[in-house]
Amino acid sequence: MAFACTDVGTTPRTRLTDSEKLALYEAQEGICPLCTRPMVQGEALTDEHLRALGLGGSNDLANRAIVHRDCALAKTAGPEGDTAQIARAKRQKRRGLGFITPKRPMPGSKATDVSRGMDGLTRCRITGRILSRPSVIDVRSL
């Protein structure tokens, strides 16, 4: 069974032409879609991907907008901005594919090569070789 999987963060960024920027500005009627304030002449403006490329967005004009430069920076940076969300998505993808393993795995967890069975024997998960036997405590010596 084949399925489509979107690749996170590998869509190449393309530049808009001046005529495409003007068409977006006119389609928005001079209103910034991020802050809903009007854009006036002389303000620093930039084109922005409404859904970031690293989060599965596209370079289509439907995903682009002309916004205030400050609004674009606020959307991109910060603890919940696009950059943080992209980093989180990439971490989740790496962890899901098994590229990230814990630095200090919990002893006996599946992240270690050692397992302890119900019989008390400690075995190597890879070879199955017995590593240690359970120790017997003499109750009379206590």
Side-chain angles (χ1 to χ4, degrees):
M1 175 167 80
F3 61 92
C5 180
T6 58
D7 204 5
V8 178
T10 56
T11 304
R13 184 174 306 273
T14 60
R15 297 182 72 107
L16 293 179
T17 64
D18 291 340
S19 59
E20 288 173 327
K21 290 177 185 178
L22 181 60
L24 278 175
Y25 179 84
E26 290 173 349
Q28 296 168 207
E29 298 176 356
I31 304 294
C32 174
L34 298 179
C35 69
T36 66
R37 289 185 298 123
M39 295 179 276
V40 295
Q41 188 174 5
E43 285 183 318
L45 304 176
T46 185
D47 67 293
E48 177 75 12
H49 289 87
L50 298 175
R51 177 159 177 88
L53 293 176
L55 296 173
S58 67
N59 281 311
D60 298 336
L61 289 179
N63 189 41
R64 305 288 282 267
I66 303 298
V67 296
H68 296 108
R69 185 168 293 149
D70 293 339
C71 296
L73 290 174
K75 176 185 172 291
T76 303
E80 291 300 318
D82 289 344
T83 306
Q85 290 179 13
I86 291 167
R88 190 175 313 121
K90 287 183 179 182
R91 269 193 314 273
Q92 289 173 350
K93 184 174 182 178
R94 286 191 302 263
R95 191 174 296 121
L97 292 172
F99 298 145
I100 296 178
T101 56
K103 292 179 184 171
R104 294 176 40 201
M106 180 179 285
S109 70
K110 290 189 178 188
T112 62
D113 293 337
V114 179
S115 70
R116 180 170 296 192
M118 293 298 287
D119 55 1
L121 298 176
T122 305
R123 291 186 171 90
C124 177
R125 287 185 196 275
I126 299 167
T127 63
R129 196 179 91 217
I130 295 174
L131 300 175
S132 68
R133 300 191 179 279
S135 59
V136 178
I137 300 174
D138 187 8
V139 196
R140 291 174 284 179
S141 66
L142 296 175

